Amino acid sequence: MGKVIAITNQKGGVGKSTTAINLSAALAQLRKRVLTIDIDPQGNTTSGLGVEKYEQENTVYELISENCDVKDCIVHLKKKYHDLIPANMNLAGAEIELNEVQDRDLRLKKAIDPVREDYDFIIIDCPPSLGQLTLNALTASDSMLVPIQCEYYAMEGLAQVLYTLDLVKNGLNPDLKIEGIVFTMYDSRNNLSQEVVDSVRENISEYVFDTIIPRTVRLAEAPSYGLPINEYDKHCIGTKRYRKLAKELIKRSFSI
Ligand SMILES: Nc1ncnc2c1ncn2[C@@H]1O[C@H](COP(=O)(O)OP(=O)(O)OP(=O)(O)O)[C@@H](O)[C@H]1O
Ligand SMILES: [Mg+2]
């Protein structure tokens, strides 16, 4: 049964999509069968994986609107072991449309159940808000992986995440866990980065990944070529670190 992990943080621009793209690609390179689900209308993970977001007949929107079967919206990427359910701006309407239906928070969970056996990991990239789409992702997930940007407001974002976890655990998904917190955009020349890492490690009982993702130009450039970092520049530090993160995740997932 594939482990379903939501990459989430209500704070915008903290590296959720970058992590969804590159962690997924690294897992697939390590021969884990991966399904990446983009549930953000921005579609950054879709385009970052080289899929033209407006050319897809079926996306996650059709899936949660129950207008297509899960197998009809899965895109098989060029790299072996890696599939994607894409998203585009049409998905923005779903936030409102879902309000009208009864099983609104369960749509994604129900839709992906039939393919969970086909994957080792299902990685969901969430939007930066706590609406119907994020709730669908968290209801469908076993755990949350939380990217934290190494900057001054990091703790505020984290407090929000822990609040959301409680909220979802008390209602929609009592089994939801924190997979771990991962520091992103770490700048070794900036003292603040180290201070944020130290303060989160001191104050949080939740698991913090050993792997830290540095701020690098290569990671920012890769999406404009529609390539994950391990295809854009296979020897760069970004590739190495996301590979290390993937190994850490695999070790944690299979040793428990
Ligand atoms: N490690 C990194 N080094 C350099 N730039 C990065 C890194 N991680 C992310 N970025 C850049 O920072 C910006 C925000 O990253 P990303 O889109 O992954 O964040 P997000 O949390 O998904 O944002 P949103 O909340 O809008 O969905 C992007 O331009 C991305 O290319
Ligand atoms: Mg994003």
Side-chain angles (χ1 to χ4, degrees):
M1 217 34 175
K3 184 174 197 179
V4 186
I5 303 176
I7 314 278
T8 185
N9 186 337
Q10 282 132 263
K11 215 167 148 11
V14 296
K16 292 182 288 296
S17 301
T18 305
T19 299
I21 294 166
N22 295 308
L23 176 62
S24 299
L27 287 167
Q29 201 173 38
L30 293 165
R31 301 183 175 202
K32 297 295 171 199
R33 296 161 305 159
V34 181
L35 172 64
T36 308
I37 303 179
D38 192 353
I39 197 160
D40 182 350
Q42 296 180 96
N44 292 341
T45 287
T46 302
S47 50
L49 284 169
V51 171
E52 190 38 75
K53 52 189 173 190
Y54 290 107
E55 283 175 10
Q56 306 309 309
E57 191 179 334
N58 291 313
T59 66
V60 75
Y61 174 64
E62 282 72 21
L63 183 65
I64 61 176
S65 311
E66 298 183 336
N67 284 325
C68 81
D69 187 72
V70 63
K71 300 229 158 133
D72 297 329
C73 64
I74 290 178
V75 177
H76 302 291
L77 300 174
K78 280 189 212 117
K79 287 284 164 184
K80 215 174 161 190
Y81 302 116
H82 197 180
D83 290 346
L84 168 76
I85 298 184
N88 61 35
M89 212 26 106
N90 295 341
L91 183 61
E95 288 276 10
I96 300 155
E97 290 163 26
L98 282 176
N99 273 326
E100 314 275 310
V101 298
Q102 255 205 335
D103 63 344
R104 55 180 168 264
D105 304 309
L106 295 174
R107 287 289 180 94
L108 185 67
K109 183 183 171 64
K110 282 186 187 164
I112 63 173
D113 247 1
V115 294
R116 275 191 70 163
E117 292 285 348
D118 301 344
Y119 299 97
D120 298 303
F121 290 97
I122 297 180
I123 305 283
I124 312 177
D125 182 26
C126 296
S129 59
L130 184 60
Q132 231 39 265
L133 296 170
T134 298
L135 288 176
N136 261 273
L138 296 180
T139 304
S141 295
D142 297 308
S143 61
M144 303 159 88
L145 191 155
V146 185
I148 296 264
Q149 192 182 343
C150 295
E151 48 105 56
Y152 185 69
Y153 292 108
M155 286 305 275
E156 265 177 40
L158 194 53
Q160 252 183 0
V161 168
L162 296 177
Y163 172 78
T164 304
L165 174 70
D166 266 354
L167 200 79
V168 175
K169 273 178 73 153
N170 288 326
L172 295 165
N173 185 0
D175 298 327
L176 185 66
K177 297 188 175 52
I178 294 237
E179 189 65 48
I181 289 160
V182 57
F183 294 106
T184 62
M185 299 187 234
Y186 180 89
D187 185 349
S188 57
R189 292 163 304 178
N190 181 345
N191 289 338
L192 184 61
S193 272
Q194 191 54 46
E195 282 167 25
V196 169
V197 169
D198 293 343
S199 117
V200 171
R201 286 214 164 112
E202 273 165 30
N203 287 296
I204 291 290
S205 58
E206 264 74 25
Y207 184 82
V208 180
F209 283 95
D210 290 335
T211 311
I212 293 180
I213 307 299
R215 181 183 286 281
T216 79
V217 175
R218 301 305 252 176
L219 278 169
E221 282 169 353
S224 56
Y225 296 88
L227 293 172
I229 195 69
N230 61 5
E231 287 178 59
Y232 180 60
D233 182 347
K234 58 182 170 202
H235 299 299
C236 76
I237 180 85
T239 297
K240 289 180 185 150
R241 289 297 172 86
Y242 272 108
R243 191 176 171 86
K244 188 163 172 248
L245 183 67
K247 285 186 176 168
E248 213 183 330
L249 175 64
I250 292 169
K251 198 166 164 208
R252 278 175 53 70
S253 302
F254 293 102
S255 66
I256 295 168

